[in-house]
Amino acid sequence: MTPAATTLFTRLLAQKGQPLLIAGPCSAETEAQVLATAHGLKALGKIDLFRAGIWKPRTRPGSFEGMGAVALPWLQRVKAETGLPTTVEVATPRHVEDALRHGIDVLWIGARTTVNPFAVQELADALAGTGVPVMVKNPVNPDVALWAGALERLARAGITDLAAIHRGFSTFAPSRYRNAPTWILPIELKTRFPHIPLICDPSHIGGRRDLLLPIAQKALDLDYDGLMIETHPDPDHALSDAEQQVTPARLGEILDELKYRYRSSDNADYLNKAEELRQKMDVADREIVEALARRMALVEELAEYKKDNHVKILQIDRWQEIFNTRIEWANKLNVNDKFVAELYKLIHLESIRKQTEVLNGRPQVDGVEHLGPGL
């Protein structure tokens, strides 16, 4: 994907010198509610883009699914009265047509749409030639390829004014979050497309007001380019996602509490010390890789003995011993035990793969992650 020379997002970032701030209600419920929110946000003097849900793709029918096109003139009044540019979610070519006809400045594609390449392609075809800026939320499932593919489809249609929104991922695992942030995935997307601004949506990640500040702070510390936070004049009585919305006044307090840190520093002492520590980390990383190579050589040797003695790969007792002792070592050395647990799961899977190759005499192509514990 070829980077665009300048975009709405990069221009705003250059003008502000700080992250972009997008705010507004989860759903546009009434004209009065929309305008009250917009004027409250305008008074903060920090908001770059006013968002509102017009068409709401809800999980089940019967819940509030948005006011639809009837709410678009309300956003025209927002822009006329406050000067704030506006953005809405679109899921069909008809949504695109209606939104652009009412002068909506920026469109976004939601998580439930991003997951469907057919739907994204229809939107890309409808957007071709418009030049409108488009933001793309991550798909509901943790799949960077789908997220990247949506951005690529839009770029191929000539939409180069793009941004990505990280709103978290669905998970069956217990979590304090509404949608697990899984930070490594947006970082991977940013690695692939460093020219595309990355915006965090703490509202949908956290699902609760008390989580907005820590999530937003982490996003800024990870060098995100902006935040999208849902606001409502009376959050407790919002028709959708009431628990994750805050008043404009509370949003102002959250923004004041955020710490904006530099990407780097010109301080000579900092630069020298950082370079020294990075060189030491390079040496440590080389030692880690060399240690892994030694371990895998031992795994291969053990596999040869298992093969000669007709012993199975899976040794559950041995795996449990390894897993438990390594966690104990981590705790004694003040290393995060959850990190060590995840690391040894990966080492374990690679050990199974290597032993399977030795015992079967051919490269292992099946998914070893389904084989279960053992070493």
Side-chain angles (χ1 to χ4, degrees):
M1 187 187 300
T2 304
T6 58
T7 69
L8 167 72
F9 306 108
T10 57
R11 286 195 301 272
L12 286 172
L13 284 165
Q15 291 167 8
K16 290 187 68 178
Q18 287 186 344
L20 303 177
L21 297 174
I22 305 168
C26 174
S27 300
E29 301 166 358
T30 67
E31 185 173 30
Q33 169 247 2
V34 167
L35 291 172
T37 307
H39 283 285
L41 293 174
K42 178 65 176 179
L44 298 179
K46 298 179 179 181
I47 305 305
D48 301 293
L49 197 58
F50 181 83
R51 60 141 290 153
I54 303 299
W55 300 280
K56 301 295 297 180
R58 312 311 294 174
T59 301
R60 299 181 65 184
S63 56
F64 180 65
E65 296 184 318
M67 296 300 295
V70 69
L72 289 169
W74 307 345
L75 296 188
Q76 289 180 305
R77 282 196 63 186
V78 166
K79 187 173 180 180
E81 294 183 16
T82 68
L84 290 172
T86 57
T87 180
V88 301
E89 177 180 353
V90 293
T92 70
R94 178 61 183 272
H95 292 169
V96 171
E97 179 184 345
D98 287 345
L100 295 183
R101 184 158 45 84
H102 285 83
I104 300 299
D105 300 280
V106 179
L107 307 179
W108 88 77
I109 297 176
R112 290 179 174 86
T113 305
T114 306
V115 79
N116 184 346
F118 292 105
V120 173
Q121 188 60 56
E122 287 186 352
L123 289 173
D125 293 340
L127 288 162
T130 65
V132 65
V134 179
M135 302 183 291
V136 181
K137 287 197 172 186
N138 64 256
V140 290
N141 52 308
D143 189 334
V144 175
L146 276 175
W147 199 1
L151 291 164
E152 290 167 344
R153 288 178 186 277
L154 291 165
R156 288 187 179 187
I159 303 300
T160 56
D161 207 336
L162 293 168
I165 301 176
H166 172 215
R167 49 82 76 190
F169 303 88
S170 296
T171 176
F172 291 111
S175 173
R176 65 190 294 226
Y177 303 105
R178 177 181 176 185
N179 294 291
T182 319
W183 298 100
I184 190 62
L185 297 184
I187 291 172
E188 169 63 22
L189 186 85
K190 188 68 173 178
T191 301
R192 296 189 193 186
F193 307 117
H195 59 285
I196 293 181
L198 180 60
I199 296 165
C200 182
D201 180 348
S203 303
H204 280 88
I205 291 175
R208 298 188 345 231
R209 295 168 199 149
D210 61 307
L211 293 177
L212 295 179
L213 177 58
I215 294 170
Q217 186 63 64
K218 179 156 187 176
L220 294 184
D221 291 343
L222 290 174
D223 199 25
Y224 278 56
D225 299 290
L227 302 170
M228 176 186 275
I229 299 179
E230 293 185 346
T231 52
H232 191 289
D234 186 9
D236 288 334
H237 295 95
L239 298 182
S240 59
D241 293 345
E243 296 84 359
Q244 67 192 39
Q245 299 191 68
V246 292
T247 64
R250 175 56 188 149
L251 175 63
E253 294 172 353
I254 290 172
L255 297 179
D256 287 341
E257 291 181 60
L258 288 172
K259 296 178 177 62
Y260 296 89
R261 298 181 171 94
Y262 300 111
R263 283 179 174 158
S264 187
S265 171
D266 294 330
N267 181 282
D269 290 338
Y270 164 80
L271 293 173
N272 291 334
K273 188 62 177 180
E275 181 59 26
E276 176 190 341
L277 292 172
R278 286 166 181 156
Q279 289 179 4
K280 289 180 178 179
M281 282 189 279
D282 288 344
V283 173
D285 286 343
R286 178 60 186 253
E287 292 171 350
I288 290 170
V289 174
E290 290 173 348
L292 286 172
R294 292 195 301 273
R295 191 187 198 282
M296 290 306 159
L298 293 170
V299 168
E300 191 168 354
E301 186 176 351
L302 176 60
E304 294 286 357
Y305 276 97
K306 287 183 178 181
K307 181 178 180 181
D308 293 343
N309 291 275
H310 306 289
V311 175
K312 295 179 179 180
I313 293 174
L314 300 181
Q315 305 288 325
I316 295 177
D317 291 343
R318 170 60 178 160
W319 164 242
Q320 290 176 335
E321 176 193 347
I322 289 174
F323 191 79
N324 292 333
T325 55
R326 277 49 172 181
I327 298 301
E328 292 175 5
W329 298 348
N331 286 324
K332 289 178 180 178
L333 293 169
N334 199 30
V335 178
N336 187 302
D337 56 3
K338 291 183 175 61
F339 163 71
V340 172
E342 292 302 315
L343 175 62
Y344 266 89
K345 288 176 185 177
L346 292 173
I347 292 173
H348 165 58
L349 292 176
E350 176 61 13
S351 300
I352 289 179
R353 186 195 66 78
K354 186 169 284 291
Q355 290 187 73
T356 303
E357 284 186 1
V358 172
L359 267 66
N360 293 335
R362 62 180 183 275
Q364 171 67 13
V365 294
D366 294 330
V368 296
E369 66 272 16
H370 301 301
L371 292 177
L375 186 62

